[in-house]
Amino acid sequence: SVSTPWRPRGSFRGDPTMSRVVACASTSFSRGAVITNARALGKSPSVRPRHPASRKHVGSRIARRAADSSLARLALQNHFERVGMPLTDGTSITVRAMRPEDVRRVAEVMRVAFEGTPDERPRARVAKYLVDRLAEPDPDQCVLVATLRGDAVAVASLSFSELARGNPGSATRGELTGSRSVPCPLDAAYLCNVAVDITHRNKGIAKTLLRAAEDFAKENGHADVWLHVRSSQPAGFALYLKSGYEVEAWETFGGGASFGVFWKLASALGGEKPDVALMRKRLDAT
């Protein structure tokens, strides 16, 4: 009998098929490697074709990103704070997001500030608005308070979407009056409910709070701030003008909107005195 030459275990010299198998096994199992290895063995590649991500999966990723963004903006609200902002009388205030212990005091400040004006609201309704803001945190709206020696002495609200403002543009423009007839842009930073305790006025609190609110709008990625003010409130109107706000449009007592110099012409011709002004400040210029 003829003896077979001895070969070391694991050696496949002289066996081309097994050599190709070993070469294939030593490569990675990526999609490209699977195709290459199959062809090396003389077989047709059996690889599942790639399919684009389904709408469901794409929607899920978008939803996760939106949720992450909302959480980040809520964290920004909770951590926003401006400490030691100086006032004209030598004292200083701290501006931060409202907390549960502020509700009673802030509700009273707002009630007294708007008493006797078209914006007057019962104290219970004001308190409910504040409690709702705390019970249902919303990244698109925030209530800022100014505290003096730990006591809340001023308040201002900021919103960043039409939905947070209650969809003011959902009805027909002709049916709207007041500030609703001259709405700000849908996703603008909108300032409202600015009020200072009556016993702490003439100290520069409103102007200082306004500056902090503008900082908060900047941190949320906005380049301007919008607001409404009544011409029947000259102190507030003068404050915003001195702070760099410009009138974008006027609403008259009749419910129509007038823009630019046209309200002056209408007034000169015997038209009604403008009531609500829509104002805007460009923050990138400061």
Side-chain angles (χ1 to χ4, degrees):
S1 63
V2 179
S3 61
T4 303
W6 177 84
R7 290 182 300 180
R9 181 178 296 180
S11 173
F12 301 105
R13 284 185 304 176
D15 190 340
T17 301
M18 294 305 296
S19 297
R20 288 197 295 270
V21 170
V22 172
C24 291
S26 64
T27 59
S28 66
F29 286 90
S30 65
R31 175 186 173 88
V34 170
I35 296 175
T36 302
N37 296 344
R39 287 173 178 168
L41 293 173
K43 299 179 179 180
S44 61
S46 177
V47 180
R48 296 178 63 185
R50 277 197 185 123
H51 295 286
S54 67
R55 292 183 180 180
K56 179 180 179 181
H57 292 160
V58 171
S60 298
R61 288 201 297 270
I62 294 174
R64 285 196 298 271
R65 291 173 184 171
D68 292 342
S69 174
S70 296
L71 290 175
R73 292 167 62 197
L74 285 174
L76 178 63
Q77 287 186 19
N78 294 331
H79 291 90
F80 179 81
E81 190 173 49
R82 292 293 183 271
V83 180
M85 301 188 77
L87 303 178
T88 57
D89 65 349
T91 59
S92 63
I93 60 172
T94 295
V95 179
R96 55 169 173 76
M98 182 182 63
R99 299 171 183 169
E101 60 267 25
D102 301 321
V103 170
R104 185 187 299 271
R105 182 78 174 100
V106 171
E108 184 63 16
V109 169
M110 292 178 65
R111 185 194 67 79
V112 174
F114 296 112
E115 191 173 26
T117 72
D119 302 309
E120 180 180 2
R121 298 292 184 271
R123 188 181 187 281
R125 182 173 174 182
V126 175
K128 184 181 184 305
Y129 161 77
L130 299 174
V131 170
D132 288 346
R133 297 288 71 74
L134 292 171
E136 302 173 1
D138 186 346
D140 282 336
Q141 52 185 329
C142 179
V143 178
L144 298 177
V145 298
T147 63
L148 178 64
R149 293 185 289 271
D151 184 31
V153 296
V155 59
S157 299
L158 270 170
S159 59
F160 302 104
S161 70
E162 184 187 28
L163 180 61
R165 292 187 281 273
N167 296 306
S170 59
T172 306
R173 178 184 277 281
E175 299 173 353
L176 302 176
T177 59
S179 61
R180 289 175 176 265
S181 69
V182 279
C184 66
L186 300 184
D187 295 324
Y190 179 73
L191 182 69
C192 65
N193 297 329
V194 179
V196 179
D197 181 75
I198 193 171
T199 62
H200 291 283
R201 294 179 181 175
N202 300 317
K203 296 180 180 179
I205 292 179
K207 186 175 182 179
T208 305
L209 176 59
L210 190 60
R211 191 166 67 250
E214 292 165 0
D215 287 346
F216 184 70
K218 281 184 180 180
E219 292 190 8
N220 276 271
H222 291 265
D224 48 20
V225 173
W226 298 71
L227 57 85
H228 289 100
V229 63
R230 295 183 181 276
S231 60
S232 55
Q233 299 172 335
F237 190 78
L239 167 68
Y240 297 129
L241 286 177
K242 291 179 181 178
S243 299
Y245 288 79
E246 299 177 349
V247 175
E248 296 288 330
W250 283 93
E251 183 269 348
T252 65
F253 288 110
S258 303
F259 299 87
V261 299
F262 293 104
W263 72 266
K264 296 181 180 180
L265 177 61
S267 180
L269 294 175
E272 293 175 324
K273 180 182 178 182
D275 182 21
V276 177
L278 174 66
M279 304 187 78
R280 173 192 185 191
K281 179 178 180 179
R282 293 173 175 82
L283 302 180
D284 54 359
T286 61

